[in-house]
Amino acid sequence: MESLKLSYREVFEVIPYEQLLLMQRDKLHIVYGDRIEYVSARDRMKSKMKCNGRIDG
């Protein structure tokens, strides 16, 4: 739990174990790779419908 920067007391007396696991899972991670290109909701929906075969195009 050192990665969460918690004290010994917090880990063993205050915070429940299940909550500690969730906190560890939710911790931010470094991401490597290409930059994400943002698309509008309308374009995303068109793409989704096209993949499902609902529209031609």
Side-chain angles (χ1 to χ4, degrees):
M1 294 302 146
E2 295 163 357
S3 62
L4 296 173
K5 297 183 174 134
L6 299 172
S7 70
Y8 179 87
R9 183 179 171 280
E10 289 173 323
V11 172
F12 288 101
E13 297 176 8
V14 178
I15 303 173
Y17 181 73
E18 292 83 10
Q19 185 68 30
L20 288 171
L21 293 177
L22 289 174
M23 290 169 64
Q24 188 175 15
R25 188 174 298 154
D26 290 342
K27 185 167 174 52
L28 296 176
H29 296 77
I30 297 173
V31 178
Y32 300 99
D34 297 332
R35 182 176 176 196
I36 297 172
E37 293 183 22
Y38 292 96
V39 295
S40 69
R42 179 175 288 165
D43 291 339
R44 190 176 311 125
M45 194 63 177
K46 276 186 188 178
S47 175
K48 186 175 181 179
M49 291 175 69
K50 190 175 182 179
C51 288
N52 289 337
R54 295 187 181 174
I55 62 173
D56 298 324

